[in-house]
Amino acid sequence: MTRSDGYLLDNGQSEAGRRFAALATLFDPGTFRHLENLGVAPGGRCWEVGAGGTSVISWLAERVGPAGRVLATDIDTSCATAAARPPVEVRTHDVGTGEPPGERFDLVHARLVLVHVPDRDRALRTMIDSLRPGGHLLIEDADPALQPLLCPEEYGPAQELANRLRRGFRSLLAERGADLSYGRRLPRLLREAGLKDVRADAYFPITSPACTELEAATVRQVRSRLVAAGLATDEEIDRHLAHLASGTMDLATSPMISAWGRKE
């Protein structure tokens, strides 16, 4: 992986909060449904990997209560620290290179993390090794290669521009080592790692205000990178943002694939 430019979607950038809010609107309902089905209960011990924002951390904290524990880790905890109160501990940690937390959990969860981690195989092993017997792992990752279009119906110049900028964004991710077809492999990887009762599903939102907000925040966050790489001009980006603001664009995200299993 080329690491010289760092993580493309830096938590410290001004648009990160808007991205996290849009991601929460789009994907929290499905995440919470999966977590509830896996039986997060009072007194439970949970590890939220790559915590980013606070919505999942707060949900877990409410479920486990004062007798439980939620460890929330990320390489950049600037957006997660607002949730740092009992039973939540926020800790700076790189799941791809750091040592395991040194404790066992009833649940380990990561969303939109492993697709970006250079040594994702090691990260997955670390999370599985941190489960207690009977504990559950829930991994949720996008698969941009499975559905690469921002506008599934490319019927005009605005849609063509949107899809071209999305291809540019995906190329920037790939240059930094992101695996754009990782999501589809999750069920097999969990089985091969020895987890039992492995299941998976996918969610593919389209034509939502949150899709538009996510796209606008993402483009603003990577604007300088797109221009510097010759993938877009400032004029094209301004035009795309104006199209988004019109509210007439039918936008999609990459499919979010959720896979889960139990450690024996």
Side-chain angles (χ1 to χ4, degrees), residues 35-87:
L35 292 173
E36 189 167 5
N37 289 340
L38 292 176
V40 179
R45 302 178 66 83
C46 306
W47 180 16
E48 178 67 12
V49 180
T54 62
S55 61
V56 177
I57 306 171
S58 299
W59 189 95
L60 289 170
E62 183 176 351
R63 282 306 178 104
V64 303
R69 168 165 168 74
V70 177
L71 175 63
T73 64
D74 203 335
I75 57 174
D76 180 350
T77 60
S78 56
C79 292
T81 52
R85 55 185 177 276

Side-chain angles (χ1 to χ4, degrees), residues 59-128:
W59 189 95
L60 289 170
E62 183 176 351
R63 282 306 178 104
V64 303
R69 168 165 168 74
V70 177
L71 175 63
T73 64
D74 203 335
I75 57 174
D76 180 350
T77 60
S78 56
C79 292
T81 52
R85 55 185 177 276
V88 175
E89 177 192 352
V90 176
R91 185 187 303 174
T92 302
H93 180 260
D94 186 335
V95 71
T97 62
E99 293 299 316
E103 54 187 296
R104 294 291 181 264
F105 298 94
D106 302 296
L107 170 85
V108 178
H109 172 246
R111 187 173 76 190
L112 294 174
V113 174
L114 292 187
V115 66
H116 299 289
V117 173
D119 195 347
R120 53 188 63 88
D121 291 338
R122 175 180 173 176
L124 186 61
R125 288 195 303 271
T126 294
M127 288 189 280
I128 292 173

Side-chain angles (χ1 to χ4, degrees), residues 156-210:
Q159 291 72 29
E160 292 171 3
L161 174 61
N163 286 338
R164 181 160 62 81
L165 293 181
R166 176 53 57 94
R167 288 193 295 273
F169 172 60
R170 291 175 63 230
S171 72
L172 292 176
L173 288 174
E175 286 173 3
R176 286 158 177 78
D179 185 342
L180 302 180
S181 59
Y182 187 69
R184 73 191 72 179
R185 293 199 285 275
L186 286 172
R188 172 177 60 82
L189 293 174
L190 297 194
R191 285 195 304 272
E192 291 178 349
L195 295 186
K196 304 300 181 182
D197 302 325
V198 173
R199 301 288 185 272
D201 64 15
Y203 177 55
F204 175 36
I206 183 171
T207 315
S208 159

Side-chain angles (χ1 to χ4, degrees), residues 9 17 21 72 109 119 128 130 136 139-140 187 217 221 226 231 241 251 258:
L9 298 168
H109 172 246
D119 195 347
I128 292 173
S130 297
H136 288 91
I139 303 293
E140 302 182 288
Q221 197 164 2
L226 289 169
L231 296 168
L241 291 171
L251 307 181
S258 303

